[in-house]
Amino acid sequence: MTLILFNKPFNVLCQFTPEANGPERQTLKDFVDVPGVYPAGRLDTDSEGLLLLTDDGRLQARIADPRFKMPKTYLAQVEGEPDEAALDALRRGVTLKDGRTLPAEVKRIDDPALWPRDPPVRFRKTVADCWISLTIREGKNRQVRRMTAAVGHPTLRLVRWAIGEWTLEGVQPGEWREIG
């Protein structure tokens, strides 16, 4: 069994083949040259961070399938400064167009020591921002972004830091490490 932790950079497609008619973008093939591995779950092109790749179908299902409720922790830079009411709403679960989310673990955090994003997040002097740590146990499409927007604090930058026990600790953008 092979298990790879990959730090997916911003604007990289979470697949090995390019989109047929889409803009030209880097794919996993540009970074990971290990035959037979596939992503366990997805990470949007405009999100960064931990992506697990494996050649083990059972492990892939355990990581990606919402039935197993594997925790995924994200660091989100959000517009504005969420008050306790906004954070509590995330903790209870919010209603999105496709249904209610499960409760999330969420807290405000100090600015994390992350790599610079290329291109950088647009800075606006008149609009404050802050960072939150958010752990969810499901995987609706663009869920974290939609959750923070639903409580009035759109996500500016999103980095998946952990999936279950695996974290990005010591893995720079575009780098990967085999752990299994």
Side-chain angles (χ1 to χ4, degrees):
M1 181 205 63
T2 301
L3 180 63
I4 291 173
L5 286 90
F6 174 57
N7 188 344
K8 186 190 90 59
F10 181 81
N11 208 26
V12 171
L13 283 176
C14 190
Q15 57 195 42
F16 282 96
T17 55
E19 293 176 316
N21 297 322
E24 197 167 310
R25 288 196 178 113
Q26 289 184 301
T27 68
L28 298 177
K29 187 179 90 175
D30 295 308
F31 298 93
V32 180
D33 186 21
V34 178
V37 297
Y38 298 93
R42 302 207 38 94
L43 196 56
D44 295 326
T45 305
D46 56 354
S47 298
E48 308 162 70
L50 183 58
L51 183 65
L52 297 174
L53 299 106
T54 183
D55 59 358
D56 183 321
R58 279 194 188 153
L59 178 60
Q60 184 178 24
R62 195 177 58 131
I63 294 166
D65 193 315
R67 289 179 305 180
F68 296 104
K69 295 183 175 44
M70 182 167 284
K72 295 169 179 74
T73 300
Y74 295 82
L75 306 180
Q77 182 182 21
V78 297
E79 190 174 282
E81 297 185 25
D83 58 14
E84 273 309 303
L87 297 176
D88 282 342
L90 294 168
R91 290 179 187 121
R92 288 189 308 272
V94 296
T95 301
L96 305 174
K97 288 180 182 175
D98 55 349
R100 189 155 185 85
T101 67
L102 294 175
E105 296 168 32
V106 63
K107 62 184 175 187
R108 281 189 61 166
I109 59 172
D110 293 332
D111 292 2
L114 294 173
W115 53 89
R117 193 185 87 175
D118 183 25
V121 172
R122 184 174 55 132
F123 175 75
R124 298 187 304 184
K125 284 184 190 178
T126 58
V127 180
D129 63 60
C130 76
W131 285 86
I132 62 173
S133 170
L134 192 108
T135 301
I136 60 173
R137 287 178 165 72
E138 59 189 335
K140 296 177 186 282
N141 186 39
R142 300 182 67 80
Q143 181 174 340
V144 172
R145 291 178 187 279
R146 294 189 301 140
M147 288 176 74
T148 63
V151 298
H153 297 280
T155 296
L156 304 171
R157 184 177 180 192
L158 187 61
V159 178
R160 183 160 56 198
W161 185 256
I163 300 173
E165 65 192 50
W166 302 291
T167 73
L168 271 184
E169 193 69 45
V171 184
Q172 293 300 308
E175 292 181 355
W176 58 272
R177 180 173 69 226
E178 187 172 340
I179 59 169

